[in-house]
Short mmCIF file of all heavy atoms in Angstrom, two decimals:
data_model
loop_
_atom_site.label_atom_id
_atom_site.label_comp_id
_atom_site.label_asym_id
_atom_site.label_seq_id
_atom_site.Cartn_x
_atom_site.Cartn_y
_atom_site.Cartn_z
N SER M 406 -6.57 23.16 12.04
CA SER M 406 -7.87 22.99 12.70
C SER M 406 -8.93 22.55 11.70
O SER M 406 -9.81 21.77 12.02
CB SER M 406 -8.28 24.31 13.37
OG SER M 406 -8.34 25.36 12.41
N GLU M 407 -8.82 23.05 10.45
CA GLU M 407 -9.78 22.66 9.42
C GLU M 407 -9.68 21.17 9.12
O GLU M 407 -10.68 20.46 9.06
CB GLU M 407 -9.51 23.46 8.14
CG GLU M 407 -10.48 23.11 7.00
CD GLU M 407 -10.04 23.70 5.66
OE1 GLU M 407 -8.87 24.11 5.55
OE2 GLU M 407 -10.87 23.73 4.75
N TYR M 408 -8.44 20.68 8.98
CA TYR M 408 -8.26 19.27 8.68
C TYR M 408 -8.68 18.40 9.85
O TYR M 408 -9.33 17.37 9.69
CB TYR M 408 -6.79 18.98 8.32
CG TYR M 408 -6.57 17.55 7.91
CD1 TYR M 408 -6.93 17.11 6.64
CD2 TYR M 408 -6.02 16.63 8.80
CE1 TYR M 408 -6.74 15.79 6.27
CE2 TYR M 408 -5.83 15.32 8.44
CZ TYR M 408 -6.19 14.90 7.16
OH TYR M 408 -6.01 13.59 6.80
N ARG M 409 -8.35 18.85 11.09
CA ARG M 409 -8.73 18.08 12.26
C ARG M 409 -10.25 17.96 12.38
O ARG M 409 -10.79 16.90 12.68
CB ARG M 409 -8.16 18.73 13.52
CG ARG M 409 -8.32 17.88 14.77
CD ARG M 409 -7.70 18.58 15.97
NE ARG M 409 -6.30 18.82 15.80
CZ ARG M 409 -5.36 17.91 16.01
NH1 ARG M 409 -5.70 16.70 16.41
NH2 ARG M 409 -4.08 18.20 15.83
N GLU M 410 -10.94 19.08 12.11
CA GLU M 410 -12.40 19.06 12.18
C GLU M 410 -12.97 18.12 11.13
O GLU M 410 -13.89 17.35 11.40
CB GLU M 410 -12.95 20.48 11.95
CG GLU M 410 -14.47 20.56 12.02
CD GLU M 410 -14.98 21.98 11.78
OE1 GLU M 410 -14.15 22.90 11.69
OE2 GLU M 410 -16.21 22.14 11.68
N TYR M 411 -12.39 18.16 9.92
CA TYR M 411 -12.88 17.28 8.86
C TYR M 411 -12.57 15.82 9.20
O TYR M 411 -13.40 14.94 9.02
CB TYR M 411 -12.22 17.65 7.53
CG TYR M 411 -12.79 16.90 6.36
CD1 TYR M 411 -13.96 17.32 5.74
CD2 TYR M 411 -12.17 15.75 5.89
CE1 TYR M 411 -14.50 16.63 4.68
CE2 TYR M 411 -12.70 15.04 4.83
CZ TYR M 411 -13.87 15.49 4.21
OH TYR M 411 -14.38 14.78 3.17
N ALA M 412 -11.36 15.59 9.72
CA ALA M 412 -10.96 14.23 10.07
C ALA M 412 -11.88 13.65 11.14
O ALA M 412 -12.14 12.45 11.16
CB ALA M 412 -9.51 14.21 10.56
N ASP M 413 -12.37 14.51 12.02
CA ASP M 413 -13.25 14.04 13.10
C ASP M 413 -14.67 13.79 12.64
O ASP M 413 -15.43 13.11 13.30
CB ASP M 413 -13.27 15.07 14.24
CG ASP M 413 -11.97 15.09 15.02
OD1 ASP M 413 -11.21 14.10 14.90
OD2 ASP M 413 -11.70 16.09 15.70
N SER M 414 -15.06 14.35 11.49
CA SER M 414 -16.46 14.27 11.10
C SER M 414 -16.72 13.65 9.74
O SER M 414 -17.86 13.39 9.40
CB SER M 414 -17.06 15.70 11.08
OG SER M 414 -16.40 16.48 10.09
N PHE M 415 -15.68 13.37 8.94
CA PHE M 415 -15.90 12.93 7.57
C PHE M 415 -16.73 11.65 7.53
O PHE M 415 -16.38 10.62 8.08
CB PHE M 415 -14.57 12.66 6.85
CG PHE M 415 -14.75 12.10 5.47
CD1 PHE M 415 -15.23 12.91 4.45
CD2 PHE M 415 -14.47 10.79 5.20
CE1 PHE M 415 -15.41 12.41 3.18
CE2 PHE M 415 -14.66 10.28 3.93
CZ PHE M 415 -15.13 11.08 2.92
N GLY M 416 -17.86 11.74 6.85
CA GLY M 416 -18.68 10.56 6.60
C GLY M 416 -19.35 9.99 7.83
O GLY M 416 -19.85 8.88 7.80
N LYS M 417 -19.40 10.74 8.95
CA LYS M 417 -20.01 10.18 10.14
C LYS M 417 -21.51 10.42 10.16
O LYS M 417 -21.99 11.48 9.78
CB LYS M 417 -19.39 10.79 11.41
CG LYS M 417 -17.98 10.27 11.69
CD LYS M 417 -17.53 10.65 13.08
CE LYS M 417 -16.22 9.98 13.42
NZ LYS M 417 -15.76 10.31 14.77
N CYS M 418 -22.23 9.41 10.61
CA CYS M 418 -23.67 9.61 10.78
C CYS M 418 -23.87 10.45 12.03
O CYS M 418 -22.98 10.54 12.87
CB CYS M 418 -24.37 8.27 10.90
SG CYS M 418 -23.83 7.27 12.30
N PRO M 419 -25.03 11.10 12.17
CA PRO M 419 -25.27 11.96 13.32
C PRO M 419 -25.03 11.22 14.64
O PRO M 419 -25.58 10.16 14.87
CB PRO M 419 -26.75 12.36 13.16
CG PRO M 419 -26.98 12.27 11.68
CD PRO M 419 -26.14 11.12 11.21
N GLY M 420 -24.18 11.78 15.48
CA GLY M 420 -23.90 11.16 16.77
C GLY M 420 -22.93 10.01 16.69
O GLY M 420 -22.68 9.33 17.69
N GLY M 421 -22.39 9.74 15.53
CA GLY M 421 -21.53 8.59 15.35
C GLY M 421 -20.19 8.73 16.06
O GLY M 421 -19.54 9.74 15.94
N ARG M 422 -19.80 7.70 16.78
CA ARG M 422 -18.49 7.65 17.41
C ARG M 422 -17.97 6.22 17.28
O ARG M 422 -17.77 5.51 18.24
CB ARG M 422 -18.57 8.07 18.89
CG ARG M 422 -18.76 9.55 19.09
CD ARG M 422 -17.59 10.39 18.55
NE ARG M 422 -17.79 11.81 18.73
CZ ARG M 422 -18.39 12.59 17.86
NH1 ARG M 422 -18.89 12.07 16.74
NH2 ARG M 422 -18.52 13.88 18.09
N ASN M 423 -17.76 5.81 16.05
CA ASN M 423 -17.36 4.45 15.76
C ASN M 423 -15.85 4.29 15.97
O ASN M 423 -15.09 5.07 15.45
CB ASN M 423 -17.72 4.16 14.30
CG ASN M 423 -17.47 2.71 13.92
OD1 ASN M 423 -16.79 1.98 14.63
ND2 ASN M 423 -18.04 2.31 12.81
N PRO M 424 -15.40 3.27 16.70
CA PRO M 424 -13.97 3.09 16.92
C PRO M 424 -13.20 2.66 15.68
O PRO M 424 -11.98 2.69 15.65
CB PRO M 424 -13.93 1.98 17.99
CG PRO M 424 -15.20 1.22 17.80
CD PRO M 424 -16.21 2.25 17.39
N TRP M 425 -13.91 2.23 14.61
CA TRP M 425 -13.23 1.74 13.41
C TRP M 425 -13.25 2.73 12.27
O TRP M 425 -12.32 2.83 11.50
CB TRP M 425 -13.86 0.43 12.94
CG TRP M 425 -13.85 -0.62 14.00
CD1 TRP M 425 -12.77 -1.04 14.74
CD2 TRP M 425 -14.96 -1.37 14.48
NE1 TRP M 425 -13.14 -2.01 15.63
CE2 TRP M 425 -14.48 -2.24 15.50
CE3 TRP M 425 -16.32 -1.40 14.16
CZ2 TRP M 425 -15.31 -3.13 16.17
CZ3 TRP M 425 -17.14 -2.28 14.82
CH2 TRP M 425 -16.64 -3.13 15.82
N THR M 426 -14.35 3.47 12.12
CA THR M 426 -14.44 4.44 11.04
C THR M 426 -13.99 5.80 11.57
O THR M 426 -14.58 6.33 12.48
CB THR M 426 -15.90 4.57 10.52
OG1 THR M 426 -16.33 3.29 10.08
CG2 THR M 426 -15.98 5.55 9.38
N GLY M 427 -12.97 6.35 10.98
CA GLY M 427 -12.45 7.62 11.47
C GLY M 427 -10.99 7.76 11.12
O GLY M 427 -10.43 6.98 10.36
N VAL M 428 -10.36 8.76 11.66
CA VAL M 428 -8.99 9.08 11.31
C VAL M 428 -8.12 9.14 12.55
O VAL M 428 -8.51 9.70 13.56
CB VAL M 428 -8.94 10.44 10.58
CG1 VAL M 428 -7.51 10.82 10.23
CG2 VAL M 428 -9.79 10.40 9.32
N SER M 429 -6.96 8.52 12.49
CA SER M 429 -5.97 8.64 13.55
C SER M 429 -4.64 8.96 12.90
O SER M 429 -4.45 8.75 11.72
CB SER M 429 -5.88 7.34 14.36
OG SER M 429 -5.55 6.25 13.52
#
Side-chain angles (χ1 to χ4, degrees):
S406 58
E407 180 191 16
Y408 184 77
R409 189 179 299 279
E410 181 180 353
Y411 187 83
D413 288 341
S414 63
F415 176 71
K417 286 192 172 181
C418 60
R422 286 297 179 270
N423 186 345
W425 303 308
T426 302
V428 178
S429 58

